[in-house]
Amino acid sequence: MVAIPSSPPASREVVRTAIVPVMLSGADYRRAHDAHHIAAGLWDQAVDWVHAEWKAKHNPSKYDIRAFLTSIPREQRTLHAHTTEAIGYDLYEAIKTSRTNRKNGMSVRSPWRKKNYRPLSFSKHFGWRIRPDNKLNLSLGRGRPGIVLALPNVEDPVGAELVSPDLWSEIQLCWDQDNRQFSLHIPYTSRRSVSAGKAITAIDEGIINPMTLATWVDEGTIDVTVINGREARAIKRQRNKATGALQRKMSKTKNGSRKHHRLVAAKKRLKGKARLQLRDFDHQVARKATNHVIAHSTGRLVIGEVRGIEYKTKQKRRIGRRGRQQLSQWSRGTEERYLAEKTGLDIEHLNESGSTKTCPACGARNRPCGRDYRCKVCNFTCHRDAVGAINILQKAIHGSYVPIGPDVVIRVTYLRDEKRWSPDQRNTHRMVQCRKARALSSAKNQASTETSCKPKLVNSSTSSLEPDPLVAVA
Ligand SMILES: [Zn+2]
């Protein structure tokens, strides 16, 4: 066997969930709304029953809860049988999670709260199916009309390919509270590349540049990738200012008044939009970092530990009001989670105190000023976040900030933010465009009975020499 110098990245099977906003017809909307209330009612009944069983010293299993739910008369559970069963399974899983958490020392209760609205699950082939006219049918049980939707396009972010409905599993119809619309959650299996190698990559996290990665390429070269976070700062700033303005308006209205309701709705919409944009941004950061990790065949990921720096900043009087807000809205944990998922690596944390101050070339301590680092002793200059990442890298390898020496080449790549639509935004846009087109075409149909979609060559019927087949048919 010939050893391949750089093996292609390994891949593994993962389950992704596509979230597709949907537009329902008036009747379907009401049916979906009622079904969500019925599902919540069933959940409440099951919770009460389980609590009564516990009082009677019984410990109902997953199948006991399911049996209780299916024993409720059919007229009271106007849902597909599989949807009802899924409620029982969900409740059992919730009880199991609360037990595990209690075992781990957390003070949590098993499910007890009354629900008003619950997502509906539709099993493959039974709960959901594709009709001969290529529409998606979500069943609400035998003998009842289902919810009919245009077949959604599910796009896999890897390679931007459409996912065939054969690969979809159990679909959920959920109410998106922030965006005030229904959406389908469609899980499907996909593949994801996983980093496999021996190199060590260190990451320095920050508010201005969410992630800066450093890896030794060979004896004399370090590759540094700086990922810029300007877009996220802009989104957060805009959101903070707009919600602040709404909050001030709300303080002048009466609680419960119509105006107050409207302002609450506007705030929810605003926050929902920002949340989608930030989710997309965090995924972009993690994706760019993953590309660096896979390109350098990293097997060990080390991140400077910054947890806890947000505590008691007000008392310590180190950071101003705006800085504290930035710190509390920093989505560092989410980005780390995405990175771990995308790379398939475990993340190690390391105490990073002094990493931004120590000179990586000579080990002297300087106070960085602005975005550039300059050493007063050896005149070493570099990007400030790159210094942090290189120091964390040295600590991960040697246990302390060992100087890298003056001759090492540091290759810094800057990755700017891309303004791009998230799949959710793209779907919403498509939906709005479709609605506009439909409205336009129905208006046209009312205006004239012509159904020709070809550009008309002849403007009046009197001069027509050849009969237009479409007009002739009409
Ligand atoms: Zn120095």
Side-chain angles (χ1 to χ4, degrees):
M1 282 275 293
V2 182
I4 306 160
S6 62
S7 56
S11 69
R12 73 187 155 123
E13 216 164 64
V14 286
V15 175
R16 287 179 209 271
T17 303
I19 299 172
V20 188
V22 289
M23 207 83 99
L24 298 177
S25 72
D28 278 346
Y29 190 99
R30 274 186 293 281
R31 262 200 292 278
H33 174 84
D34 293 341
H36 276 80
H37 278 311
I38 289 163
L42 290 176
W43 170 277
D44 289 348
Q45 285 186 49
V47 168
D48 288 345
W49 178 79
V50 167
H51 280 262
E53 286 289 297
W54 286 339
K55 271 223 177 95
K57 304 278 177 216
H58 296 306
N59 190 13
S61 73
K62 185 174 170 177
Y63 304 104
D64 295 336
I65 301 174
R66 185 183 73 179
F68 164 74
L69 280 170
T70 43
S71 72
I72 296 171
R74 274 201 74 207
E75 311 83 69
Q76 288 175 30
R77 44 178 184 95
T78 48
L79 302 171
H80 192 275
H82 288 180
T83 309
T84 313
E85 287 172 4
I87 294 169
Y89 299 150
D90 283 353
L91 176 58
Y92 182 76
E93 284 303 315
I95 293 168
K96 226 169 81 180
T97 309
S98 71
R99 279 179 182 157
T100 319
N101 288 343
R102 258 200 307 281
K103 213 176 266 171
N104 293 337
M106 290 159 81
S107 72
V108 284
R109 288 172 73 176
S110 6
W112 59 276
R113 202 187 289 276
K114 288 269 177 286
K115 302 269 185 193
N116 193 29
Y117 229 54
R118 258 199 72 77
L120 306 171
S121 298
F122 299 94
S123 57
K124 191 173 184 171
H125 302 314
F126 300 97
W128 70 264
R129 64 183 176 84
I130 295 168
R131 301 199 318 187
D133 60 350
N134 224 16
K135 296 236 164 153
L136 181 67
N137 184 72
L138 306 175
S139 170
L140 292 176
R142 205 183 303 150
R144 279 182 289 269
I147 298 164
V148 182
L149 301 158
L151 193 64
N153 281 339
V154 175
E155 211 175 86
D156 194 14
V158 177
E161 277 174 15
L162 282 183
V163 181
S164 148
D166 299 336
L167 299 170
W168 303 354
S169 48
E170 189 180 72
I171 294 180
Q172 281 199 316
L173 179 67
C174 305
W175 174 251
D176 184 347
Q177 217 178 3
D178 287 331
N179 295 300
R180 303 168 81 80
Q181 65 186 6
F182 283 109
S183 56
L184 289 179
H185 290 216
I186 307 175
Y188 61 93
T189 29
S190 167
R191 293 204 77 78
R192 177 176 287 168
S193 42
V194 173
S195 179
K198 287 206 168 69
I200 301 175
T201 293
I203 301 180
D204 182 48
E205 295 176 321
I207 287 171
I208 293 182
N209 296 315
M211 280 187 182
T212 305
L213 301 99
T215 314
W216 280 98
V217 184
D218 52 52
E219 301 266 292
T221 323
I222 296 179
D223 260 1
V224 173
T225 305
V226 182
I227 302 167
N228 190 286
R230 178 177 310 196
E231 195 195 338
R233 273 181 294 149
I235 297 165
K236 283 176 190 164
R237 184 174 151 75
Q238 196 189 21
R239 178 195 60 191
N240 294 344
K241 282 186 87 108
T243 41
L246 284 173
Q247 202 68 50
R248 277 193 293 284
K249 271 188 194 164
M250 263 151 83
S251 68
K252 287 178 197 149
T253 59
K254 224 174 168 181
N255 222 342
S257 67
R258 187 185 291 185
K259 191 160 188 190
H260 190 266
H261 271 303
R262 267 187 208 148
L263 290 168
V264 168
K267 198 171 138 189
K268 272 189 181 170
R269 267 197 302 275
L270 199 109
K271 282 190 154 179
K273 194 178 161 200
R275 204 191 52 183
L276 282 185
Q277 288 172 331
L278 289 171
R279 176 168 160 262
D280 176 46
F281 173 81
D282 289 337
H283 269 296
Q284 281 200 43
V285 169
R287 167 45 55 200
K288 282 169 189 161
T290 306
N291 289 346
H292 175 106
V293 163
I294 288 176
H296 292 84
S297 31
T298 298
R300 194 176 153 209
L301 257 184
V302 184
I303 297 189
E305 176 69 276
V306 280
R307 228 181 306 175
I309 61 165
E310 63 268 38
Y311 296 150
K312 291 197 175 175
T313 40
K314 193 167 183 182
Q315 287 88 322
K316 287 183 202 159
R317 288 177 185 280
R318 277 196 305 142
I319 306 167
R321 202 159 67 106
R322 185 165 290 170
R324 284 203 302 276
Q325 190 183 36
Q326 279 189 346
L327 213 55
S328 76
Q329 294 175 351
W330 186 12
S331 50
R332 180 186 54 78
T334 314
E335 284 160 8
E336 278 182 26
R337 206 180 68 231
Y338 289 166
L339 182 65
E341 277 172 18
K342 285 188 209 293
T343 56
L345 294 173
D346 292 330
I347 289 174
E348 279 175 53
H349 285 98
L350 203 115
N351 181 9
E352 62 146 27
S353 61
S355 66
T356 47
K357 291 188 184 122
T358 311
C359 171
C362 70
R365 278 170 86 92
N366 298 282
R367 202 172 226 293
C369 177
R371 299 315 303 165
D372 283 323
Y373 183 93
R374 182 179 292 276
C375 178
K376 282 177 188 145
V377 180
C378 69
N379 261 333
F380 169 88
T381 49
C382 193
H383 188 277
R384 176 183 175 160
D385 291 324
V387 168
I390 291 167
N391 277 325
I392 295 168
L393 180 64
Q394 287 299 89
K395 197 169 180 179
I397 297 168
H398 304 287
S400 63
Y401 299 140
V402 175
I404 54 169
D407 301 326
V408 170
V409 179
I410 299 168
R411 290 194 302 220
V412 182
T413 315
Y414 297 92
L415 294 181
R416 296 283 303 274
D417 44 302
E418 285 166 55
K419 259 236 141 71
R420 202 177 57 86
W421 279 2
S422 73
D424 298 341
Q425 284 172 304
R426 212 167 27 235
N427 279 324
T428 314
H429 178 76
R430 256 188 223 144
M431 241 158 47
V432 171
Q433 294 299 314
C434 280
R435 196 170 44 172
K436 274 183 189 163
R438 238 179 289 144
L440 210 69
S441 68
S442 69
K444 260 188 195 162
N445 286 344
Q446 278 164 13
S448 71
T449 50
E450 266 172 41
T451 49
S452 165
C453 46
K454 280 204 277 182
K456 274 192 106 182
L457 297 169
V458 227
N459 49 6
S460 70
S461 53
T462 47
S463 64
S464 97
L465 297 169
E466 279 179 342
D468 191 336
L470 275 166
V471 174
V473 169

